[in-house]
Amino acid sequence: MFTDKIELKDFDKMDPEYKELLGRVLTIQADCEIGGPHLYIEKMLPAAPTKLDQLIVARTAAEEIDHFRKVARLAGDMGTDVTFVLSQPNEKRFVDAFRGLITTWEDNAVFGFLIDRIGRYQLEEFYDCSYLPLQRILPDIVTEELGHIEYGYNKTLELLSKGDQQRERVQKAIDYWYVRALDMFGRSGSTRAERYRYWGLKRRSNEQAREDYIKEVNPILESMGLKIPDPLKGRRYI
Amino acid sequence: MPQAAPNTEKLDEHLQEVVRALRGAVKQGVSHSNDAKTVDNAIEDCREILDVIMAGNVSEWLN
């Protein structure tokens, strides 16, 4: 296991596999950060239920753009250009969950509650990682992601209080996003994930992170009176 | 030191400005929530800024 801590000045001396994996993980992270606003801005900024919600949608997008900026800066300083993700169509996003468009407020709320939580999980993988510039940008980003999760949770609760028909719509959104959330962790037993761990770029295996997520989210869903979807139905990465 | 990718610093500075403008517009709207016209203007400002970012014409931003 690689246990050193690396600064930008050390990057050129690193093993090619380290450089490749760090460049790859930062590119995917940048794509996910900007992929969120690309999912919800078009339909949700004009359609949010109140003007305050419209402003919060805009603020959330501003924070995600800022996260993109920070990750793009790290990657760019290493010589990895991630600017192509700013203009690529949603269908080409690295992660399935970002390939589409959010068109309902239920989906927007549940996206914050379930998918921004995955964002937090992915960022937590970098805690105490071997690349120090990456460690340094984490605290502010994670704090903002926690705000997005809480907003999504509160909006989901608000929708659930509006009667059976609304509850069904929320459950439908949960059914859709839950399996996509589980898929976002990647395949169990992934050899690439093991290499990330070897180089100190991630802490957990894909299956361990997924298991931790399930243990955290399922009790919350139950406490909200929602059904836990079949964790295998519709999954692409088991 | 590794060679930075082209426009790394320029893009960083541009996006910092964008984020600052967006946060400013949101703050203006939220802090004047009783003034419908100010709120509408703030939302419109956010929409205009976000439309440009979502279009993703990076070369236009940096020129």
Side-chain angles (χ1 to χ4, degrees), chain A residues 159-172:
Chain A
L159 289 165
L160 286 171
S161 70
K162 292 184 177 170
D164 289 347
Q165 210 174 357
Q166 191 59 68
R167 176 169 289 273
E168 274 176 37
R169 288 165 64 96
V170 170
Q171 183 67 55
K172 197 175 157 199

Side-chain angles (χ1 to χ4, degrees), chain A residues 31-171:
Chain A
D31 191 53
C32 291
E33 297 293 358
I34 203 67
H38 275 275
L39 271 182
Y40 56 75
I41 281 300
E42 185 182 332
K43 302 288 183 191
M44 292 299 103
L45 183 61
T50 68
K51 290 185 191 295
L52 180 61
D53 285 314
Q54 284 182 281
L55 288 167
I56 294 174
V57 168
R59 187 180 67 195
T60 303
E63 289 172 354
E64 299 293 8
I65 292 165
D66 201 39
H67 301 172
F68 167 84
R69 177 187 68 77
K70 288 172 178 171
V71 176
R73 179 64 195 248
L74 289 191
D77 284 343
M78 288 163 25
T80 301
D81 187 352
V82 301
T83 53
F84 70 96
V85 308
L86 286 162
S87 57
Q88 73 177 348
N90 288 2
E91 300 73 45
K92 291 194 172 174
R93 296 278 164 216
F94 282 90
V95 174
D96 282 355
F98 295 98
R99 295 176 192 154
L101 212 55
I102 286 179
T103 59
T104 73
W105 190 243
E106 293 79 25
D107 281 311
N108 197 67
V110 171
F111 180 86
F113 167 39
L114 291 183
I115 304 298
D116 280 311
R117 192 180 303 268
I118 302 279
R120 191 200 90 209
Y121 267 73
Q122 305 291 28
L123 292 162
E124 284 173 356
E125 286 303 306
F126 305 137
Y127 280 171
D128 200 33
C129 76
S130 56
Y131 193 59
L132 292 171
L134 177 54
Q135 264 197 50
R136 288 186 201 109
I137 66 168
L138 294 177
D140 289 347
I141 299 181
V142 171
T143 299
E144 288 176 347
E145 292 296 353
L146 287 170
H148 305 169
I149 296 164
E150 191 183 2
Y151 178 71
Y153 172 76
N154 288 333
K155 289 293 144 182
T156 305
L157 272 183
E158 199 176 291
L159 289 165
L160 286 171
S161 70
K162 292 184 177 170
D164 289 347
Q165 210 174 357
Q166 191 59 68
R167 176 169 289 273
E168 274 176 37
R169 288 165 64 96
V170 170
Q171 183 67 55

Side-chain angles (χ1 to χ4, degrees), chain B residues 8-54:
Chain B
T8 296
E9 197 169 340
K10 231 172 158 182
L11 179 69
D12 185 63
E13 285 168 3
H14 179 78
L15 289 179
Q16 276 191 56
E17 283 301 316
V18 166
V19 170
R20 196 171 297 137
L22 269 172
R23 287 186 199 269
V26 170
K27 195 174 171 189
Q28 180 79 358
V30 171
S31 60
H32 293 83
S33 56
N34 293 328
D35 177 351
K37 197 176 172 197
T38 303
V39 172
D40 286 344
N41 286 342
I43 293 169
E44 184 56 20
D45 287 348
C46 291
R47 191 192 60 74
E48 281 179 13
I49 297 166
L50 286 165
D51 279 352
V52 173
I53 296 300
M54 294 299 101

